[in-house]
Amino acid sequence: MIVAERKPLNEIMDNLAGIGSVAVAGCATCVTVCSAGGEKEVSVLSSLMRIAAGQRGQDLQVVELMVERQCEWEFLDEIIEGIDQVDAVVSLGCGAGVQAMAAHFEDQLILPGLNTRFIGLPEQQGLWVEMCLACGDCMLDKTGGVCPVARCAKSCFNGPCGGSQDGSCEIDPDTDCAWQLIFDKLQKLDRMQILQEIEPVKDWSDSRHGGPRRIKREDLIL
Amino acid sequence: MTDKPVTADLGIIDSPVGAVVYACENSAWRAYNELLSAGLQVGSNLRVLKVPCSGRVDEVVMLRAVEDGARGVLVLGCPEDSCRFLQGNLRAKKRSSRTASALQDIDGFVGLVQYDALSGTSSGQLLNIITGFVDDLDELVTEEAVEQ
Ligand code: SF4
Ligand code: SF4
């Protein structure tokens, strides 16, 4: 899922200088699961904004909205009425959600309330870790399901760098060395021979070096 | 339980140092009732509310209390390992400090959000906790007034 965290309150408030009414819009999908932009976070941010506005002497009306998925137009139609009644919207969706809202509500000021951080998973309650950089050419088949692109600090493709120590990454002892995990998993699967193959330089043309990527499925386009 | 009894009209909006105390019914609330039956008062500018567990008092509840005019929010739960719902007190402690630090980010906001724990038979301890909390809050508000 997409993992995000709230922007500092002062940054959000500074963006709202001179605004009289604002909707805080949450997203009930990824950012709800990572406790950054769900219903509860909408309520918390709205309260903080009201209190902060009071301290700043700003007369700011704050309304709370939820969208099932901000990154799909169909769901955005459901909140048109609420959006029309305010001067600006602080979106608690990820970057895709904010942009979808900005494109869909052409005349409305849509501001980001979150910093979108990564594609990851909750390793335990309250701890999210990065798992994938969306490189566009997945190599997990060769690495026992552990991503060296995202989880190796140096994105090494042919074994660990010289700094791996006791299973930890040299940049941070609290981070597992991705190559240690790859070794351990392949050993368990009795597939160590995969590592005999030298992985050539990665073809990054499927990554984002050619600008924004798109996927087109002709059979789905009517 | 709905949000209503916890967040609705705390009745302290007019008072500058008003505070709300969320008291777990399994500990602090019992101690509070003991105090009352002994004829002791915990302060006039203070509202004590019964909650089923301190874990019920999340950031939303605490911030609504501040929005309603409270300068202080004190959450009182059971001692560690004694929560009837196992981890409500641990959550309440962490949520209180998260809320306190979120409020600290608001320039000019003066207030106090705290968590403490006690058993249902510790009415003397309750009096000390509340008195200390109110004194700290008063001091903060007085400092602010002097600075202005
Ligand atoms: S906008 Fe879409 S991708 Fe972003 S958090 Fe919401 S559901 Fe997930
Ligand atoms: S190899 Fe690429 S697509 Fe696969 S998990 Fe890693 S970054 Fe994501």
Side-chain angles (χ1 to χ4, degrees), chain A residues 2 27 29-31 69-71 94 97:
Chain A
I2 308 236
C27 176
T29 313
C30 317
V31 290
R69 269 200 291 286
Q70 284 190 19
C71 56
C94 69

Side-chain angles (χ1 to χ4, degrees), chain A residues 63-135:
Chain A
V63 295
E64 304 176 20
L65 293 176
M66 276 305 290
V67 184
E68 190 57 34
R69 269 200 291 286
Q70 284 190 19
C71 56
E72 289 192 46
W73 314 128
E74 290 81 355
F75 292 110
L76 294 181
D77 286 336
E78 292 170 8
I79 55 161
I80 282 180
E81 261 179 44
I83 296 285
D84 279 348
Q85 285 164 18
V86 291
D87 300 333
V89 178
V90 170
S91 159
L92 292 190
C94 69
V98 177
Q99 292 181 63
M101 298 253 284
H104 201 62
F105 304 118
E106 284 177 25
D107 302 322
Q108 184 56 280
L109 173 64
I110 311 288
L111 298 162
L114 300 182
N115 288 325
T116 304
R117 299 295 305 276
F118 50 78
I119 300 174
L121 56 78
E123 202 170 71
Q124 63 183 69
Q125 196 176 338
L127 176 65
W128 294 270
V129 291
E130 184 164 22
M131 287 283 150
C132 173
L133 271 167
C135 73

Side-chain angles (χ1 to χ4, degrees), chain A residues 6 9-10 35 39-41 43-53 55-56 64 125, chain B residues 58-60 62-64 66-67 71 91 95 98-99 102-103 105-110 144:
Chain A
R6 202 188 75 215
L9 182 64
N10 282 331
S35 299
E39 205 167 347
K40 188 165 256 183
E41 291 74 34
S43 287
V44 167
L45 178 60
S46 298
S47 276
L48 288 170
M49 284 165 61
R50 286 184 203 107
I51 298 165
Q55 290 298 326
R56 289 176 178 225
E64 304 176 20
Q125 196 176 338
Chain B
D58 62 9
E59 277 178 280
V60 176
M62 289 183 248
L63 290 171
R64 287 277 154 81
V66 175
E67 273 192 67
R71 290 283 194 109
R91 293 188 195 289
R95 288 168 179 163
R98 186 174 164 89
T99 307
L103 287 167
D105 287 343
I106 298 177
D107 291 337
F109 178 79
V110 175
E144 182 212 18

Side-chain angles (χ1 to χ4, degrees), chain A residues 17-34:
Chain A
I19 297 283
S21 60
V22 63
V24 177
C27 176
T29 313
C30 317
V31 290
T32 288
V33 183
C34 69

